[in-house]
Amino acid sequence: MDTLDTTDSTDTLHHGDAEPAGSEAPRQAPLYLQIAERLARSIRAGTLKRGERMPSVRELARQQQVSQSTAVQAYRWLEDALLIQARPRSGYFVASRPQPLPEPQPSRPGRASRKVQLDELGQQVLRLSAAPDIISFGAACPEPDLFDQERARRALVRMVQRRRDLLCSYQLGSGQEAVRRAVARHAMGMGCELRAEDIVMTNSCLESITLCLKTVAQPGDVVALESPTHFGFLEILASLHLRALEIPTHPRHGISLDALQLALETQPVKALLLVPTLSNPLGSCMPMAERRRLAQMVCEHDVALIEDVIYNDLSEQEDKRRAVKSFDRSGHVMLCGSFSKTLAPGLRLGWVAAGRWAPALSKMQAIQSGAQTAVLELALAELLEQAGGEAALRQLRATLALRVDQARGLIAESFPKGSRITDPSGGYILWVELPGAVDTVQLYEACLAENICIAPGTMFTAGSRFKNCLRLSVGGRWGPEHPQALRRIGAIAQQLVDAAGLSLAA
Ligand SMILES: Cc1ncc(COP(=O)(O)O)c(C=O)c1O
């Protein structure tokens, strides 16, 4: 092959730069990584086919106008990602993919609601995930380099300079008109028709959800959730003394609406708290027809649906970005979001459109927070309105898709036989089910001894299920040590499987 077609639709958007050679990149990914990611995208897209010969190192260096050592580094990255293979004296070839693992079974939680009691484990995982010496797959926090930090910095500095008056005054109310308008426009992308006055600004998506729950539920009330569910939701429920009712959930299609229907008919459910697009930890996405049915169901049962849309923009399928709220005619859907996963987690701004409960929620928000952080809100409004946001999202989705692909390949290759894994259509969270014998709290402890952090499955339920499951987030810091660490987790899990086999035999 003498020409290397590495162009695709995301190429010109890559890190905001067009070509690695000599161009100015606002977000400076190392050159070898830029080249490797382009090649990886071409392999994923099938432009470079399995078994096909890659250009020689010298050829690649010439084509990309880089040194041979940079070309070698790019090939090493692709080798680690299991995308290419070196054959002695023949060069590099596009690798054949390991046999994909099956997806986990749909969950079958019990039918009773539970008081939520959490141990220290979840907070420990979050704390350790932030430690600099830890190779972390534990927290679902995207790494700062995934975002355009310079764009965020400029917007913030500009706003502080322009509106320093706002720094030295209380700004009462539901948030600056400009940001509420920008959020309403953003929600149009999810099919929602909202007005600026429908939106209340908050400190985060989790704060929006807390406000919704405080508005519609009292201590002791029952809240229905996906199973497994986001650890942060369980913490909120525990802090508000609410009971969790976990509903059977499919790893790809999300919560079972038939099971939910039954629960609504037989139990005193006060609210549903769901992530219909790219749920955490399963990464499931509810089909469109079910979104419509869910909106009808909450209206018929006069129950609040708290819909978390924090990951909608990361969905690779455009139709899955459409919110359940877009089908809501009765105001039973309370829409909650933030830009923590797509723009700038450090801004700490979230929003909520609380439908029929909007006046009560606004009152609750005013009591709880007092005033708003107006300068941050105006900076966010500017960021949301700037051109290039959609391009940055496409780039983010593409980068994350590569990582997920790489991680799934490594897991298929190195985890014990009988493991299962989700195949999310976006985002950066994977849910792995290990053969029944493996206790993932034990796995967590053994990994921690080697400075690797994972999130054991028991964190994601109010009950005691998912003992053999783990969540792996690949959105955090991602260096050459991460693929190695994934292989190591697989090897340790295999040791635990072997040990369990021995103890069964004894
Ligand atoms: C489903 C879901 N909602 C909300 C959050 C937190 O968002 P924020 O940082 O805006 O509170 C997370 C973060 O892990 C999440 O996974």
Side-chain angles (χ1 to χ4, degrees):
M1 188 175 76
D2 18 59
T3 55
L4 175 67
D5 180 9
T6 59
T7 53
D8 67 21
S9 60
T10 54
D11 211 27
T12 50
L13 310 165
H14 187 64
H15 295 184
D17 59 355
E19 292 300 326
S23 70
E24 201 180 294
R27 186 155 62 80
Q28 296 283 357
L31 214 45
Y32 82 88
L33 191 57
Q34 296 183 41
I35 296 168
E37 286 188 353
R38 280 162 199 243
L39 291 167
R41 280 200 293 276
S42 298
I43 293 171
R44 279 190 94 221
T47 315
L48 292 168
K49 297 214 167 6
R50 313 280 162 220
E52 195 171 329
R53 195 178 207 287
M54 299 291 288
S56 68
V57 167
R58 186 177 303 163
E59 245 177 304
L60 182 69
R62 187 178 47 73
Q63 283 169 356
Q64 301 287 333
Q65 299 171 40
V66 295
S67 69
Q68 288 195 25
S69 66
T70 300
V72 167
Q73 260 185 310
Y75 275 170
R76 290 228 174 99
W77 187 93
L78 289 166
E79 263 191 297
D80 278 344
L82 304 179
L83 289 170
I84 64 169
Q85 272 169 338
R87 291 189 198 150
R89 286 187 295 281
S90 307
Y92 290 94
F93 291 80
V94 180
S96 49
R97 307 291 286 147
Q99 192 66 15
L101 296 177
E103 69 184 3
Q105 307 282 2
S107 65
R108 291 171 182 277
R111 289 200 184 165
S113 66
R114 286 171 184 275
K115 201 169 160 190
V116 186
Q117 277 169 323
L118 299 172
D119 56 21
E120 244 298 284
L121 186 64
Q123 283 301 329
Q124 193 185 68
V125 167
L126 295 188
R127 243 187 348 264
L128 284 168
S129 296
D133 53 338
I134 293 284
I135 302 171
S136 178
F137 303 97
C141 300
E143 68 163 328
D145 284 353
L146 288 171
F147 303 116
D148 191 338
Q149 297 168 28
E150 182 52 23
R151 200 160 76 90
R153 185 193 68 80
R154 270 193 256 121
L156 198 54
V157 167
R158 237 189 333 265
M159 215 40 81
V160 168
Q161 278 172 346
R162 237 185 260 162
R163 296 301 310 270
R164 44 192 86 171
D165 59 309
L166 294 176
L167 289 173
C168 300
S169 59
Y170 274 110
Q171 293 297 312
L172 302 176
S174 299
Q176 296 289 300
E177 163 82 13
V179 76
R180 293 161 79 198
R181 216 179 318 116
V183 169
R185 203 168 311 133
H186 165 75
M188 284 171 71
M190 295 184 271
C192 302
E193 271 178 51
L194 298 173
R195 299 160 307 166
E197 54 268 37
D198 297 327
I199 312 273
V200 173
M201 296 305 294
T202 64
N203 291 331
S204 67
C205 184
L206 289 184
E207 195 199 22
S208 300
I209 290 168
T210 308
L211 285 168
C212 290
L213 287 168
K214 281 184 167 178
T215 304
V216 299
Q218 303 292 324
D221 281 347
V222 175
V223 177
L225 305 143
E226 285 129 353
S227 176
T229 187
H230 178 34
F231 161 74
F233 295 172
L234 293 171
E235 283 194 319
I236 296 173
L237 260 53
S239 72
L240 299 178
H241 305 288
L242 294 167
R243 296 177 69 81
L245 175 62
E246 296 178 39
I247 305 288
T249 304
H250 187 280
R252 223 168 337 121
H253 305 312
I255 196 163
S256 156
L257 289 194
D258 290 338
L260 182 62
Q261 174 88 36
L262 185 66
L264 291 175
E265 283 164 5
T266 55
Q267 307 219 30
V269 176
K270 241 344 187 342
L272 321 179
L273 171 48
L274 304 180
V275 189
T277 298
L278 296 175
S279 68
N280 178 1
L282 286 179
S284 58
C285 285
M286 185 178 273
M288 195 52 61
E290 303 218 342
R291 291 173 194 244
R292 193 188 296 272
R293 182 178 159 204
L294 179 57
Q296 276 165 4
M297 212 187 253
V298 291
C299 172
E300 277 159 26
H301 289 269
D302 192 21
V303 63
L305 163 61
I306 303 169
E307 180 182 16
D308 180 339
V309 289
I310 197 164
Y311 292 112
N312 285 42
D313 277 343
L314 293 184
S315 169
E316 287 183 2
Q317 296 161 353
E318 211 172 322
D319 60 329
K320 299 288 165 47
R321 290 180 214 142
R322 182 161 177 182
V324 176
K325 178 76 179 169
S326 69
F327 298 107
D328 175 30
R329 302 288 166 261
S330 59
H332 282 86
V333 181
M334 307 173 91
L335 196 66
C336 297
S338 81
F339 301 93
S340 297
K341 311 297 180 187
T342 47
L343 193 58
L347 274 183
R348 302 319 296 142
L349 285 175
W351 55 271
V352 48
R356 56 173 49 207
W357 292 278
L361 185 133
S362 293
K363 217 182 276 174
M364 182 73 73
Q365 196 272 340
I367 295 166
Q368 189 168 298
S369 303
Q372 304 280 16
T373 46
V375 174
L376 293 182
E377 288 173 3
L378 292 179
L380 174 62
E382 190 169 304
L383 281 170
L384 289 177
E385 274 158 18
Q386 275 170 4
E390 188 43 47
L393 275 176
R394 278 200 297 271
Q395 171 56 36
L396 180 60
R397 283 182 216 122
T399 302
L400 295 175
L402 277 180
R403 285 194 194 178
V404 166
D405 198 43
Q406 179 180 8
R408 290 184 80 250
L410 287 160
I411 290 166
E413 203 187 54
S414 55
F415 274 45
K417 198 158 167 273
S419 299
R420 292 169 174 269
I421 188 169
T422 48
D423 187 8
S425 60
Y428 48 85
I429 292 171
L430 291 168
W431 179 254
V432 182
E433 197 180 292
L434 293 171
V438 180
D439 174 350
T440 53
V441 173
Q442 240 182 317
L443 178 65
Y444 162 75
E445 280 158 6
C447 287
L448 217 47
E450 300 189 20
N451 282 352
I452 301 170
C453 186
I454 61 167
T458 49
M459 277 172 58
F460 303 94
T461 173
S464 54
R465 304 169 61 79
F466 308 123
K467 283 188 174 138
N468 61 329
C469 299
L470 65 150
R471 186 189 73 177
L472 295 168
S473 162
V474 295
R477 194 159 39 88
W478 192 254
E481 68 278 23
H482 287 78
Q484 302 297 346
L486 279 177
R487 285 198 179 96
R488 191 61 203 135
I489 298 167
I492 299 172
Q494 184 62 57
Q495 284 165 10
L496 293 176
V497 169
D498 294 345
L502 284 181
S503 67
L504 279 181

